[in-house]
Amino acid sequence: MSTQNYHIVAVPPNEWGHMRPMIAFLARLVAVSLSSVDVTVTLIIAESAVAKARTELSIQLAGEGIQSAESRFEVVPTAVHMFWPAESYLPALKATYAEVIKTKEPDFALLESMIHPFFGVVRSSATKPVKVGAWLPVALPSWTSMAPICYIRDDPQAYVKQVQTTMAEKGLGYMEAASDAYLSHVNGRVLRIPGFPEMTDYEGFPQEALERQGLQVFSTWLKEQPKHSDILAVGPLTSQRTPEVARKEKEEADAGGFTTFLDEWAAKKGPKSVLYICFGSVLLPAEIEHLYAVMRVLLELQIPFIMVLSDAARAALPAD
């Protein structure tokens, strides 16, 4: 019996928190379909993140017990630093995609939701039916709990009108106007969202949430919209680590001294006594002095913390 061929073209952004779960998902998808479907994946990656993506892909595939990745995965760099804003990345991404589909068109295009201007390119380039999926790498209940999202959800037409008005009056592009409109609805009000503790709208990601309940609420709302789409919850994507992968991960953690530091502090103060600070692989506080203020307080109160900074973020900080 011959196996069915199925080709996926995936485009994650180079923000690590967005790219990594997509790579994990694709590795899992290939692993579970080995016996029934010949799934091949082309990953189009911003050139600044190619090396990191290849390393992560190897780790995820090894965790799934797949050793020979070359025949199933191909990583294709595109000449952009990051997928933002659209006018900066779209020409290069179009050109890269055109080269990719010369060899084989996708049956499914998995695209990061933030690069929605590219969705139409995939559809208009297709010479056969192609499904397009939007990848939204967030905890959905947290996403739907934020006050601006509640506002958009309850009255989407009013939000669209506000964005259009902001564009016209302030001369802003769509993304800038959308951000302006979005943030204008954060005012400290108390929110009561299914699956969440009571909170103010300043709390974008509360510490305790019921994933399933929040997802159901969001799915119900989405399907009530005139042009609804199916929504699938994926995760958590924890693969079965092979002994070799687990050993390498432990060695990397030990080499940085993090494991020893955390173990010693946990022995002294107990669980939940170390603060973890990370701004992601792309962003950094706009006012560096605000970051310094937080660090000064932590040092004064002798609260141990681990701060993770990308190379770009580290370079943006003064030498002191």
Side-chain angles (χ1 to χ4, degrees):
M1 180 182 295
S2 61
T3 57
Q4 178 185 353
N5 295 320
Y6 197 83
H7 184 52
I8 299 172
V9 172
V11 186
N14 60 330
E15 291 90 345
W16 192 233
H18 294 221
M19 182 189 299
R20 190 180 186 189
M22 184 186 285
I23 291 175
F25 169 69
L26 292 168
R28 175 66 56 84
L29 194 63
V30 168
V32 300
S33 63
L34 283 175
S35 60
S36 57
V37 182
D38 184 14
V39 176
T40 55
V41 180
T42 300
L43 273 166
I44 300 178
I45 306 288
E47 60 184 1
S48 59
V50 166
K52 199 172 184 179
R54 284 182 171 142
T55 299
E56 181 63 23
L57 179 59
S58 297
I59 292 172
Q60 292 293 339
L61 289 172
E64 297 292 347
I66 302 175
Q67 301 303 323
S68 56
E70 296 302 323
S71 62
R72 293 184 176 273
F73 279 88
E74 181 182 11
V75 175
V76 178
T78 187
V80 298
H81 177 68
M82 64 182 296
F83 295 119
W84 184 275
E87 57 267 23
S88 297
Y89 74 78
L90 205 51
L93 183 55
K94 284 181 179 179
T96 302
Y97 184 73
E99 290 298 315
V100 167
I101 63 176
K102 283 181 181 178
T103 303
K104 190 174 185 180
E105 287 192 49
D107 299 287
F108 177 53
L110 182 60
L111 311 174
E112 156 67 29
S113 59
M114 292 297 290
I115 63 168
H116 53 83
F118 184 63
F119 286 31
V121 175
V122 172
R123 293 191 177 98
S124 63
S125 303
T127 61
K128 68 173 188 177
V130 57
K131 291 185 179 294
V132 178
W135 180 263
L136 186 62
V138 296
L140 277 172
S142 299
W143 187 73
T144 57
S145 74
M146 298 172 71
I149 293 296
C150 293
Y151 170 74
I152 297 170
R153 180 190 65 199
D154 294 338
D155 195 349
Q157 293 306 314
Y159 175 75
V160 170
K161 184 176 180 180
Q162 182 181 359
V163 172
Q164 292 173 337
T165 301
T166 302
M167 292 174 67
E169 293 181 350
K170 296 185 178 181
L172 300 176
Y174 167 75
M175 293 306 300
E176 291 79 7
S179 296
D180 187 273
Y182 178 90
L183 295 174
S184 70
H185 296 281
V186 177
N187 57 19
R189 59 183 160 171
V190 175
L191 301 177
R192 296 174 180 84
I193 304 295
F196 283 83
E198 187 175 283
M199 72 192 82
T200 70
D201 60 7
Y202 293 116
E203 300 176 86
F205 295 88
Q207 295 300 307
E208 297 179 6
L210 303 178
E211 184 82 14
R212 185 178 299 277
Q213 188 175 354
L215 179 62
Q216 288 173 346
V217 172
F218 180 74
S219 299
T220 299
W221 169 79
L222 191 66
K223 291 176 180 178
E224 290 173 350
Q225 304 312 303
K227 295 182 179 180
H228 75 270
S229 300
D230 292 330
I231 179 169
L232 303 174
V234 179
L237 294 166
T238 304
S239 61
Q240 295 292 327
R241 290 294 199 248
T242 63
E244 179 64 15
V245 171
R247 182 185 63 78
K248 287 182 178 179
E249 290 180 343
K250 185 176 186 303
E251 287 178 353
E252 290 176 0
D254 290 343
F258 294 137
T259 302
T260 301
F261 169 76
L262 292 173
D263 287 345
E264 289 178 351
W265 193 261
K268 292 178 182 177
K269 298 292 186 178
K272 299 182 180 180
S273 55
V274 176
L275 185 62
Y276 176 80
I277 303 173
C278 179
F279 300 103
S281 58
V282 174
L283 302 179
L284 191 67
E287 299 291 338
I288 296 298
E289 182 54 38
H290 293 175
L291 176 59
Y292 289 163
V294 172
M295 294 174 66
R296 282 193 289 268
V297 171
L298 294 175
L299 293 171
E300 183 178 335
L301 297 178
Q302 297 185 346
I303 298 175
F305 64 92
I306 295 174
M307 181 175 292
V308 181
L309 296 174
S310 65
D311 292 339
R314 192 186 300 273
L317 294 174
D320 61 347

